[in-house]
Amino acid sequence: MQSTESVPAVERAFAILEALDRSRNGLSMAELSRRLSIPRSSAHALAITLERCGYVTRDASQRKCRISNKAYMLGRESIQAEHIASAALVPMQKLSSKTMLTSHLAMLEHNQAAYIQKAQAPGMFHVDTFVGKRTNLHCTAVGKVLLSYAPEDVRSSLLDRRTYARYTPNTITTASMLRDELDRVSTSGFAFDNEEEELGVCCIAVPVFRAGGEFVAALSLSGASQHFNRSVLAERIHTLRHTSMLVGTQLQIGRAN
């Protein structure tokens, strides 16, 4: 099997970022050139490119380069998701054991819902999902909750579409239908997937908030459609909301520690 060659310019660009990250007061082009053993012209071209992309800044004299806040923020969302997933695991496991349904925790990622935690329900019925899986926003309960609390540009971008992918006869397929559905989610405080992504499978979802009201994720219960009939739906929503509050409390405890 033939190995793929690396790209020297990319290696040098990352070497510059790493050097700046280790530097307390920033580095000049000459210092970057000397420390990394690369031509000064190359160091200058790469640093300017990184500056234009927002990952490097220069001081008022234009002599010293420093790593930017944008570069430091690159991994923040991943770290935040890991923290939220860890805090939610035990409450989600208790929720799934009590309801005999699978629970998911999802966050918005690249205009999709990304599952960051899952607690599988005991028993024979298994939901075909996994941590890391992404799914569409318009046809899932977690997606509708995430979209309801999404930044305006994300919500507008999705609502500007003319049609949406249809997976079952129940799937929302127009912007007007989705807008009405999001209004219902905002009013009721929960979302319902009525066999919209997969026939025979239903889900309910609620928002998860930190103390202080900051929205962080969507928490759901999934199972066979008969597990969500009218006689039990209100109780399931109440139980789900209680778990959402527990997750929010765990997040606050984690932040305090």
Side-chain angles (χ1 to χ4, degrees), residues 73-83 107-110:
M73 297 291 281
L74 278 176
R76 190 186 72 161
E77 288 189 6
S78 177
I79 294 170
Q80 182 186 32
E82 184 177 348
H83 171 59
M107 294 181 70
L108 188 67
E109 186 174 298
H110 302 299

Side-chain angles (χ1 to χ4, degrees), residues 108 146-147 149-156:
L108 188 67
L146 292 172
L147 194 55
Y149 290 89
E152 184 60 36
D153 59 328
V154 175
R155 192 161 52 248
S156 297

Side-chain angles (χ1 to χ4, degrees), residues 84-95:
I84 295 171
S86 177
L89 181 57
V90 172
M92 288 174 63
Q93 289 173 333
K94 292 180 179 179
L95 173 67

Side-chain angles (χ1 to χ4, degrees), residues 29 46-58 62 65:
M29 299 297 181
L46 289 168
I48 293 300
T49 301
L50 289 168
E51 182 183 17
R52 288 171 180 166
C53 292
Y55 296 108
V56 165
T57 62
R58 285 192 288 171
Q62 301 290 298
C65 294

Side-chain angles (χ1 to χ4, degrees), residues 14-47:
F14 277 104
I16 287 175
L17 291 175
E18 290 171 356
L20 294 176
D21 187 44
R22 292 190 296 267
S23 172
R24 180 173 298 178
N25 298 314
L27 297 169
S28 67
M29 299 297 181
E31 289 169 329
L32 283 170
S33 172
R34 185 170 60 254
R35 291 194 183 194
L36 301 177
S37 300
I38 59 176
R40 185 168 176 173
S41 59
S42 298
H44 183 270
L46 289 168

Side-chain angles (χ1 to χ4, degrees), residues 84-85 87-99 101-105 117 119 204-210 216-221 235-251:
I84 295 171
L89 181 57
V90 172
M92 288 174 63
Q93 289 173 333
K94 292 180 179 179
L95 173 67
S96 290
S97 295
K98 180 178 180 178
T99 61
L101 300 170
T102 296
S103 59
H104 294 97
L105 191 70
Q117 190 59 277
I204 53 174
V206 298
V208 177
F209 301 99
R210 293 186 193 274
V216 293
L219 179 68
S220 72
L221 279 173
E235 180 184 351
R236 298 217 185 282
I237 294 170
H238 175 77
T239 303
L240 188 59
R241 283 175 170 157
H242 177 69
T243 302
S244 171
M245 292 176 60
L246 292 178
V247 174
T249 300
Q250 286 296 112
L251 289 173

